[in-house]
């Protein structure tokens, strides 16, 4: 609304900025409430939740978790489609339907109207990952799922509370469909508490700035994000760019899953079309459209300079499209359980691959791979079906390099999750983590190298039923601008005793008894950026001394010869020169 | 207030006709063949006196089905205590919240009179799909209730007369046949609405106080009837057991053990010693278990009006954690018939010891058969639960041979018309006919077993079928010396060189157009000593090709002169003497049809068969 | 002079009605069990006598004679049909035994199987198969057919039913089987399911078909014998038979379609009820025919009786369209008993016509509704059947005392009251059922009572249900015979036509209707019907996947059905569905299941001149008083009127009892009875 912008005094503009920041801060504060009061690791550690504030049209003005901008927006719209004219103060609508804007059934979204003077001024949204909502296996990750009903119970928009009172049959029914009703209700309380806080702070904001200003700020925040993004896009070269990324397999015996995007940059507008992607699969790798949009925008925001606030303004500048029945926009009742990981991450990589070309030499071009494949590995004790231990959460590392820096830690899109402390984890699970270490020669080589793969080794007693879906073993993280690919991910089973020994785990395993021994999981190493031969030899030396790169690899890949703990300058120059000649030879 | 017995009787018969109208309306307006063809649904009128819920009257379909709704109404009152209003319509399904298995939906409509919820017209119907990982919710791999479908506690579908669209949308999002679900549940509500009107008329005509008092007398009368019958039976303890073939989860020969204690005019059924709760889907919650207890005694006293008064003299001890009283989250999808019917059979076998002249097969024992596929004619996805594969369950009783298809307690389940089925589903039936020598021998024989053959026809691509077999190793019992039924089994790809004989279960087995599937539905048990059967009746059966001359000799000791097609009296007498001696030595002799069944399924060698037959 | 004669041969009596243009002659003669023909001739002599004619003279000048017959009904009740066989699709010969799983009792383990009217040994499967679309999946094995027909012939089978799967979609195989039967077994009676009931659902069709095979030959013999004797006596007119659909057809048709004459008698009664109701100005009527063993109720809406297709007779399913007479086992002969729980129950067991109620003094020991009526003073022991039979009041009292009063510890009279009220309630529930189950409100209807004791109870039932008017035609006792005089020729044709409403091809539809009409017209002509013909077309429609069809009239004014007619019918369907089932889904797809066509050959109406009103006071008919019981008042000294002496316009107010020669009419207190100019007692019910 340019009208509001113009004719504003600087003081007013400053006040709008203040309110905008307060709104963003408020979503983070609400997030803290959720993180601190929730009882499950998905929320407390993985930080798998999102808190948002929307204007009265249902467009987000602020969200604490940029990676759920799209799905949260769509979920809010779905809730409003059902109750637009039946939302009163004290009402709370709940939904999780992946085929109505959601991601997968475990992500439950609550929507509450924010009412001032009996009129709806906006909406508060709280979403969190629920421990279990029925389906075949606790936790809902079921590689063989052919329909969403095998992953849990879809909840279309229902009133959870009316006039500040609980709707008993609805709440009881939701809990009844969970193997862990107490934890689920606990998480619900956490989300509700966040909504209450949002309401209280909202009243304070209105008290301090007046409803008109707050309304204006809700719009201003989006206008600001939109202007920032459009400005960035104008810096890009107009034209169409294709990006593609594949997932090794679909978890149900199907071959590589291809996600393809066509990006069209036109002045300050961007269109992303995923219709070229593979058809939906009869397995849990499909990505619900909301989730697809999340990852696409995640990539976009990573490539434009990254303090463009994530909110409805971004959606104003970007048009996202995908034909129905694609693996990234499956039809009801397709299964979508693993989508938020895979092939959600393939969506992000495909977009990054396409947009990098558009950036020209803008900042974005310097960004390497922004995610890395993480094998799904969970198990439960044979006797207790409700328990489920995830080793995925112990996986870390694999960040790719960018122009000007080596990769370190976890990739951009995965950095929200905290790695649990080994001590705490062992205490919780009463089982040993045998090792948690970086592996040599797994970092994608390059002028800037990726982060090495991190291997996690955990002991298995033989009492476990294992469910896993390996990925990143055939298709590693790609290098950028001449950089090398990262080392492949790995899932290895090591059986105790002789006759045992290490073997690669099958691509997919569902509730199989594990043999006593150990399981070793490594995410792929990050991809490198730029020509390894351009890497500063001293940095290579440091990596060799740190055991990240072996001397052999240093010479073979980087053309850096190490002798006696020193860089052999002469040999290095020779080695690097020889390659030049070979190249000229061709 | 006192009410004369005449008024009481008038109220009673009016209640019966109300229940009939409720189910009429439901059946006629439902869209699923399950109801409008098979009538797998039932209606009841329930009454709440402020303290307890009572069944007043019932109609149509399987009585045990609606008996189990008692707990559904109780669950509604419990859950919505203090939160029930005129115009509410409630829906129940969860086995641990007043239902029996997720497939059975029960609509309950509280009728308020003078501000109190007094009557509850109710319809229970079996839904073809309830979401969950597997179509039809009937997977042998289910080990917990969450794997069987969408669970819900009692839900308000209407709230004070207003439809809760959000709840309907939710139910539909968890169903593969959402439109059918919507229409069928609407039909159930329609039935209850008709019932409401008639109940209000009745109360208006006589005054609610009179009706209440009349009901008290109606209950008392039925109670007196059963008590007098029980008192006439000798006091004592009577033990019996019936074995479940399989729980499809590795468990075989699950014992259902019951000890009936008759003490004066009270009867207690103690199930201590019954199999522990199964990891499979056959666990029967108390509501279901009790309904079979009630059902058996209803069948022993056919002339007594059935209502909660009739149930009062019957007590049950159901060990927690057993297959007749499982703890959550046990799977229950297959329990209503599989374990339920063995509960009925065990009780009936116990009754045999004190009332032999009354007993006979009252329950059934099924092959369940589902097919899932796309109809090439319409392109529509279809789920077909086919009753036609195992309907023959009727046993002999003192004075009557078994006949027809279902045994009495189940005979309101209409078998679908084959012609209508072929129009509704991509299938072609090749046979549905009694087989010779398959009837369980007895002085009064059981109904013959029946062979059904079917093939996919005009299906788009493969059709997946799930076929679960019960009562093969442990067929329906014989009584008072009668032999057991022949037993059920199925054969996939029948007639091909790649036959699959199903003795327990085939799960989601692909079949294609032209592939035959054959079922044998084993027939009910015989009653009394086959050697005591009138030779003339045996001859009739021979003429009707239900018994072969060989069978007449082997099972009945009757010799038929093939030329004259007449009974050879002398030879018969001689042969019978011979057999009587032989059978005294080997009481578990195997009848001809039973033997053929065991041979066809390769079970004859199996050791457990010895005590199975 | 041209006589028209209607004769209804019943179980106990043979009723007759005749007219020669000036008023009606009516009466009864005793039936002769096993020899209907003679009873008919007795009736003719009786009519002749009343007209000072010889039977021959009467017959010579009789234009037509319409018969109501119980031959079919009795054949089924007694299972006395002919040796019948069945040829059906191989693998399906037990459909009739499986009966779609249906049994009459849900709890009775000892209920025996139905008597096999076609024993399994005479049910033969032959190789052939036709699919749902009428395509031949497996050709007919003619040699096999020949072989089984010979077997049946050699077994002495004299009537063969042929019912093959999907013959309604393609009748070629059935017709071929018929040809082979005629070749191999020329004098065998043949029934094809595609003729009797060309409609989907094999059990309903095979059951109806074998009932026809089992019973028709007997009707054929009877009609041939009777016609011969009538011709000998000089009868030159046409001999017609009352059909269950409320029409009449000639002998030739009836001989082949016995199953259509199952309800010959009762439907005659309904037709007459419609007629006399309309003359007295009532088009919405519930008829209640209370006999000795049953209570038959039929709903007449806007002058049209409801037609039903789901009847059972002697445990066999009959699916041809019949006037929808709903029967409950509660009649004058219903036995009252006290169950184990000490509750008083009435029926369903019945004392039947023999030995009958205790008061008949024929050795009946157990108390019946009739016994209660005697005790309560409704019936005059001396006037039963116009005095033809004296009732034993003491016997009635003894039976009630022993079997009801003593067990309940109440007086015999209290017990009688109980029996009376319970019987009334059961019948009242039946009245509610026929109306409410069709979405009609019984209070919008007049109750027409006929049959022996119908008019004793009608007034009380009406008050209970909230019906405001009770009608009792003076001809109540011979209503069925009267129906014969009034009925038009009527042929009902039905044909399966299963497809989504959206895909109905008008050409195809009209072609089908044209064929059906041609068939029907041919039958009518053969029956000697007049040329004044009315065609009515209907479609059976249902919601997709639903199985209960609704019969929807097609409002076509021409020989063709137009797109508009069809669209209109589809819209009407939704409303009819809602009216019937309180529920409609206009947005949901519908499909046509079958086509129905009713061809009516109109007959000239009989003339029955109205009588002028006399004075208002009924005093001339007052013949005395006696103690009669009324629920609210208890026993009251009640005026008794001689029906024969009452005149149109006479107005009498209850409590009162009217004795017609063979009917008793009880007018409870607070009600008013008047004989109108059409000889119908109109009883106004207050409250």
């Amino acid at each position: 609304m340019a009208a509001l912008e113009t004719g504003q005094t600087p003081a007013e503009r400053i006040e709008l900025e203040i309110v905008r920041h307060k709104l963003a801060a408020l979503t983070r504060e609400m997030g803290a409430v959720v993180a601190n009061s929730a009882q499950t690791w998905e929320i407390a550690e993985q930080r798998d939740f999102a808190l948002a504030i929307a204007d009265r049209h249902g467009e987000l003005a602020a969200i604490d978790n940029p990676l759920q901008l799209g799905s949260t927006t769509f979920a809010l719209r779905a809730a409003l489609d059902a109750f637009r004219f039946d939302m009163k103060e004290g009402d709370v609508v709940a939904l999780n339907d992946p085929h109505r804007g959601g991601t997968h059934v475990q992500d439950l979204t609550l929507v509450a109207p924010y009412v001032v003077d009996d009129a709806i001024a906006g909406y508060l949204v709280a979403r969190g990952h629920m421990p279990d909502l029925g389906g075949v296996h606790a936790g809902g990750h079921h590689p063989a799922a052919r329909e969403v009903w095998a992953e849990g119970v879809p909840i279309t928009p229902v009133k959870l509370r009316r006039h500040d009172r609980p709707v008993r049959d609805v709440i009881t029914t939701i809990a009844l469909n969970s193997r862990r009703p107490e934890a689920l209700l606990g998480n619900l309380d956490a989300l509700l508490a966040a909504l209450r806080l949002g309401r209280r702070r909202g009243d304070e904001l209105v008290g301090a700035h007046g409803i008109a200003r707050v309304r204006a700020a809700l719009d201003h925040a989006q206008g600001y994000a939109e202007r920032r993004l459009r400005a960035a896009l104008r810096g890009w070269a107009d034209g169409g760019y294709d990006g593609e990324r594949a997932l090794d397999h679909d978890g149900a015996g199907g071959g590589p899953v291809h996600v393809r995007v066509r990006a069209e940059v036109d002045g300050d507008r961007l269109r992303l079309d995923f219709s070229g992607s593979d058809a939906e699969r009869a397995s849990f790798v499909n990505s619900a459209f909301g989730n697809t949009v999340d990852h696409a925008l995640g990539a976009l925001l990573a490539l434009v300079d990254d303090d463009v606030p994530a909110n409805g303004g971004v959606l104003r500048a970007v048009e996202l499209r995908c034909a129905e029945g694609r693996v990234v926009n499956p039809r009801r009742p397709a299964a979508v359980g693993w989508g938020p990981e895979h092939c959600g991450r393939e969506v992000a990589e495909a977009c990054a691959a396409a947009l990098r070309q558009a950036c020209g030499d803008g900042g974005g071009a310097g960004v390497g791979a922004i995610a890395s494949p993480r094998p799904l590995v969970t198990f439960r004790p044979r006797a207790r079906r409700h328990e489920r231990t995830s080793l995925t959460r112990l996986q870390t590392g694999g960040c790719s390099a960018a122009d000007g820096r080596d990769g370190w830690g976890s990739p951009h899109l995965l950095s929200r999750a905290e790695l649990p402390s080994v001590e705490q984890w062992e205490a919780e699970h009463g089982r040993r983590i045998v090792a948690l270490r970086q592996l040599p020669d797994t970092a994608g080589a390059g002028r800037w190298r990726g982060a090495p793969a991190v291997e996690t080794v955990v002991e298995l007693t033989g009492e476990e039923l294992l469910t896993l879906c390996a990925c990143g073993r055939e298709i590693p993280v790609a290098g950028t601008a001449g950089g090398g690919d990262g080392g492949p991910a790995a899932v290895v089973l090591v059986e105790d005793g002789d006759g045992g020994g290490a073997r690669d785990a099958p691509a997919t395993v569902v509730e199989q008894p594990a043999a006593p021994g150990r399981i070793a999981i490594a995410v792929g190493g990050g991809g490198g950026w730029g020509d390894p031969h351009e890497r500063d030899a001293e940095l290579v030396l440091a990596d060799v001394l740190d055991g990240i790169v072996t001397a052999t690899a240093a010479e073979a890949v980087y053309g850096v010869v190490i002798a006696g703990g020193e860089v052999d300058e002469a040999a290095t120059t020779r080695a690097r020169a020889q390659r030049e000649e070979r190249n000229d030879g061709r | 207030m006192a009410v004369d017995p005449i008024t009481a009787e008038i109220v009673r018969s009016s209640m019966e006709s109300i229940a009939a109208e409720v189910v009429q309306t439901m059946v006629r307006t439902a869209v699923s063949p399950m109801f409008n063809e098979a009538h797998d649904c039932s209606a009841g009128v329930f009454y709440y006196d402020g303290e307890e819920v009572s069944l007043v009257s019932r109609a149509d379909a399987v009585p045990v089905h609606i008996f189990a709704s008692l707990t559904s109404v109780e669950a509604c009152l419990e859950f919505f205590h203090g939160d029930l209003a005129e115009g509410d319509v409630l829906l129940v399904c969860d086995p641990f919240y007043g239902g029996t298995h997720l497939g059975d939906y029960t609509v309950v409509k509280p009728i308020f009179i003078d501000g109190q919820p007094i009557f509850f017209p109710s319809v229970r119907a079996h839904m073809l799909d309830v979401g969950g990982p597997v179509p039809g919710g009937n997977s042998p791999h289910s080990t917990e209730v969450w794997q069987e479908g969408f669970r819900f506690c009692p839900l308000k579908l209407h709230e004070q007369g207003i439809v809760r669209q959000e709840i309907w949308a939710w139910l539909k999002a968890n169903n593969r046949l959402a439109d059918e679900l919507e229409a069928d549940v609407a039909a159930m509500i329609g039935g209850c609405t008709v019932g409401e009107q008639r109940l209000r008329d009745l109360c208006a005509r006589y005054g609610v106080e009179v009706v209440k008092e009349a009901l008290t007398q109606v209950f008392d009368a039925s109670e007196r009837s059963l008590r007098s019958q029980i008192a006439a039976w000798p006091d004592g303890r009577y033990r019996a057991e019936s074995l479940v073939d399989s729980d499809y989860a590795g468990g075989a020969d699950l014992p259902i053990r019951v000890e009936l204690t008759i003490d004066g005019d009270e009867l207690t059924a103690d199930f201590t010693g019954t199999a522990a709760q199964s990891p499979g889907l056959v666990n029967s919650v108390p509501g279901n278990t009790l309904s079979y207890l009630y059902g058996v005694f209803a069948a022993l006293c056919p002339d007594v009006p059935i209502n909660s008064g009739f149930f009062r003299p019957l007590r049950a001890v159901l060990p927690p954690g057993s297959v007749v009283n499982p703890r959550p989250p046990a799977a229950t999808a297959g329990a209503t018939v599989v374990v339920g019917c063995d509960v009925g059979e065990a009780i009936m076998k116990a009754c045999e010891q004190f009332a032999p002249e009354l007993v006979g097969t009252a329950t059934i024992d099924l092959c369940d058969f589902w097919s899932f596929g796309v109809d090439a004619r319409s392109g529509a996805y279809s789920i077909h639960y086919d009753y036609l594969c195992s309907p023959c369950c009727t046993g002999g009783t003192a004075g009557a041979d078994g006949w027809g298809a279902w045994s009495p307690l189940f005979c309101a389940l209409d078998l679908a018309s084959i012609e209508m089925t072929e129009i509704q589903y991509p299938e072609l039936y090749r046979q549905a006919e009694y087989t010779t020598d398959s009837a369980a021998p007895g002085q009064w024989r059981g109904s013959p077993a029946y062979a059904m053959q079917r093939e996919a026809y005009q299906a788009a691509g493969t059709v997946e079928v799930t076929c679960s077999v019960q009562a093969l190793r442990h067929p329906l019992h014989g009584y008072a010396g009668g032999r057991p039924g022949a037993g059920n089994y199925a054969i996939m790809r029948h007639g091909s060189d790649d036959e699959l004989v199903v003795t327990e279960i085939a799960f989601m087995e692909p079949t294609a157009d032209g592939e035959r599937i054959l079922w044998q539905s084993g027939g009910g048990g015989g009653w009394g000593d086959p050697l005591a059967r009138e030779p003339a009746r045996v001859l009739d059966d021979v003429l009707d090709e239900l018994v072969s001359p060989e069978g007449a000799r082997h099972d009945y000791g009757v010799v038929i002169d093939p030329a004259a097609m007449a009974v050879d009296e002398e030879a018969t007498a001689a042969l019978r003497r011979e057999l009587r001696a032989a059978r005294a030595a080997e009481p578990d002799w195997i009848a001809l049809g039973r033997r053929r069944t065991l041979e066809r399924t390769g079970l004859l060698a199996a050791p457990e068969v010895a005590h199975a037959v | 002079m041209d006589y028209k004669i209607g004769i209804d041969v019943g179980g106990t009596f043979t009723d007759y009605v005749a007219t020669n243009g000036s008023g009606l002659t009516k009466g009864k003669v005793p039936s002769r069990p096993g020899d209907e023909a003679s009873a008919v001739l007795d009736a003719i002599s009786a009519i002749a006598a009343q007209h000072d004619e010889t039977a021959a003279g009467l017959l010579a000048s009789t234009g037509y004679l319409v018969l109501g017959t119980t031959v079919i009904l009795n054949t089924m009740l007694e299972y006395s049909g002919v040796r019948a066989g069945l040829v059906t699709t191989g693998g399906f010969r037990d459909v009739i035994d499986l009966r779609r799983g249906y049994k009459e009792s849900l709890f009775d383990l000892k209920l025996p199987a139905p008597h096999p009217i076609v024993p399994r040994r005479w049910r033969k499967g032959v190789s052939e198969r036709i699919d749902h679309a009428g395509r031949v999946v497996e050709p007919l094995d003619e040699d096999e057919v020949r072989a089984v027909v010979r077997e049946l012939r050699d077994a002495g089978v004299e009537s063969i039913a042929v019912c093959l799967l999907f013959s309604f979609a393609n009748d070629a195989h059935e017709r071929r089987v018929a040809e082979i039967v005629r070749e191999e077994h020329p004098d065998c009676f043949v029934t094809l399911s595609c003729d009797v009931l060309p409609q989907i659902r094999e059990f309903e069709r095979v059951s109806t078909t074998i009932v026809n095979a089992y019973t028709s030959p007997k009707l054929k013999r009877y009609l041939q014998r009777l016609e011969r004797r009538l011709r000998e006596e000089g009868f030159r007119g046409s001999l017609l038979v009352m059909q269950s659909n409320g029409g009449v057809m000639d002998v030739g048709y009836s001989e082949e379609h016995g199953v259509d004459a199952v309800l010959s008698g009762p439907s005659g009664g309904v037709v007459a009820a419609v007629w006399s109701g309309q003359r007295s100005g009532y088009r919405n009527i519930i008829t209640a025919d209370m006999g000795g063993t049953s209570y038959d109720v039929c709903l007449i809406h806007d002058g049209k009786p409801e037609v039903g297709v789901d009847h059972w007779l002697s445990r066999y399913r009959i699916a041809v369209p019949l006037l929808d007479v709903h029967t409950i086992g509660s009649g004058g002969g219903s036995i009252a008993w006290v169950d184990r729980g000490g509750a008083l129950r009435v029926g369903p067991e019945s004392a039947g016509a023999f030995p009958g109620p205790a008061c008949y003094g024929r050795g009946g020991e157990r108390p019946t509704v009739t016994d209660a009526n005697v005790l309560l003073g409704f019936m005059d022991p001396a006037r039963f059947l116009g005095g033809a039979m004296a009732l034993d009041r003491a016997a009635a009292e003894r039976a009630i005392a022993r079997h009801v009063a003593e067990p309940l510890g109440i007086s015999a009279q209290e017990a009688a009251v109980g029996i009376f009220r319970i019987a009334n309630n059961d019948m009242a529930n039946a009245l509610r059922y026929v109306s409410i189950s069709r979405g009609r409100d019984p209070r919008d209807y007049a109750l027409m009572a006929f049959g022996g004791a119908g008019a004793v109870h009608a007034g009380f039932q009406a008050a209970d249900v909230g019906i405001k008017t009770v009608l009792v035609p003076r001809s109540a006792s011979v209503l069925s015979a009267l129906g014969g005089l009034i009925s038009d020729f009527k042929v009902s044709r039905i044909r399966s036509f299963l497809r989504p409403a959206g895909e109905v091809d008008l050409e195809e539809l009209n072609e089908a209707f044209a064929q059906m009409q041609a068939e029907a017209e041919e039958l009518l002509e053969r029956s000697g019907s007049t040329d004044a013909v009315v065609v009515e077309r209907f479609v059976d429609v249902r919601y997709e996947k639903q199985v209960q069809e609704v019969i929807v009239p097609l409002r076509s004014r021409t020989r063709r059905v137009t797109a508009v007619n069809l669209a209109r019918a589809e819209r009407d369907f939704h409303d009819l569905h809602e009216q019937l089932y309180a529920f409609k889904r206009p947005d949901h797809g519908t499909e046509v299941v079958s086509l129905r066509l009713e061809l009516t050959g109109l007959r000239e109406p009989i003339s029955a001149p109205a009588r002028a009103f006399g004075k208002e006071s009924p005093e001339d008919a007052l013949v005395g008083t006696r103690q009669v019981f009324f629920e609210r008042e208890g026993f009251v000294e009640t005026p008794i009127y001689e029906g024969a002496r009452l005149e149109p316009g006479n107005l009498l107010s209850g409590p009162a009892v009217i004795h017609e020669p063979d009917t008793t009419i009880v007018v409870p207190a607070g009600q008013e009875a008047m004989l109108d100019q059409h000889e119908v007692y109109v009883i106004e019910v207050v409250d």
Side-chain angles (χ1 to χ4, degrees), chain B residues 475-510:
Chain B
L476 291 161
H477 300 270
Y479 293 89
R483 303 308 300 152
N488 305 325
Y489 63 86
I491 298 179
M492 306 270 207
R493 300 183 288 277
H494 177 252
S496 78
D497 45 17
D498 166 34
E499 284 189 344
L500 171 66
V501 178
V502 185
T503 58
E504 238 178 53
I505 187 159
F507 180 62
M508 289 303 207
E509 187 76 19

Side-chain angles (χ1 to χ4, degrees), chain C residues 370-469:
Chain C
T370 304
D371 293 306
N373 290 346
V374 170
L375 233 65
L376 297 176
F378 295 135
M379 297 168 100
D380 181 345
R383 292 168 178 272
F384 188 59
L385 297 183
M389 178 174 167
L391 299 180
D392 181 346
R393 188 178 192 286
E397 187 155 16
R398 270 200 308 280
I400 291 179
R402 180 174 318 118
H403 294 279
V404 178
E406 286 156 22
L408 289 178
I410 56 177
S411 78
Q413 253 164 23
E414 289 168 320
V417 173
I419 297 168
F420 180 75
R421 286 181 57 203
I422 289 174
N424 270 343
N425 181 66
D426 292 349
M427 300 183 216
N429 278 336
L431 297 179
R432 287 193 191 89
Y433 184 86
V434 290
S435 46
I436 291 172
S437 70
R438 291 185 176 74
R440 312 281 191 193
D441 184 339
R443 288 166 296 191
D444 303 337
Y445 291 74
L447 175 62
M448 182 176 290
F450 50 99
V456 171
H457 298 259
F460 301 93
Q461 292 157 7
D464 184 358
V465 179
I467 288 177
K468 298 173 194 61
T469 311

Side-chain angles (χ1 to χ4, degrees), chain B residues 264-346:
Chain B
D265 62 3
E266 297 254 321
L267 185 145
T268 307
D270 183 343
F271 288 85
T272 305
T274 290
Q277 110 180 43
S278 155
L281 47 60
V282 299
N283 300 291
S284 165
V285 293
N288 188 60
T289 305
L290 289 174
S291 71
Y292 280 86
L293 175 66
Y294 303 153
V296 167
F297 284 92
L300 295 181
C301 313
D303 61 332
V304 181
I306 301 302
N307 54 50
S308 282
F310 183 86
F311 306 155
R312 287 181 192 147
L314 304 173
R315 305 221 179 302
V317 179
L318 308 175
S322 73
V323 75
V324 293
N325 181 13
R327 296 195 175 90
T332 62
T336 49
V337 169
V338 174
V339 161
C341 286
D342 280 291
V343 166
E345 283 199 273

Side-chain angles (χ1 to χ4, degrees), chain C residues 125-147:
Chain C
V126 296
S127 309
E128 71 88 36
R129 189 67 157 86
I130 286 166
D131 77 2
H132 66 278
R135 283 177 299 249
V136 174
V137 178
E138 187 180 347
L140 179 67
D141 182 334
E142 303 198 355
D143 301 339
E144 202 179 350
V145 176
R146 238 170 253 291

Side-chain angles (χ1 to χ4, degrees), chain C residues 617-631:
Chain C
S617 161
E619 62 204 349
D620 300 352
L622 183 63
V623 292
T625 68
R626 70 166 182 267
Q627 286 284 311
V628 180
F629 176 88
F630 292 94
E631 196 164 335

Side-chain angles (χ1 to χ4, degrees), chain C residues 282 467-470 667-668 670-674 682-686:
Chain C
Y282 296 88
I467 288 177
K468 298 173 194 61
T469 311
V470 175
V667 186
Q671 303 188 5
E672 236 175 31
M674 186 200 76
V682 180
I683 304 171
E684 295 300 340
V685 182
V686 193

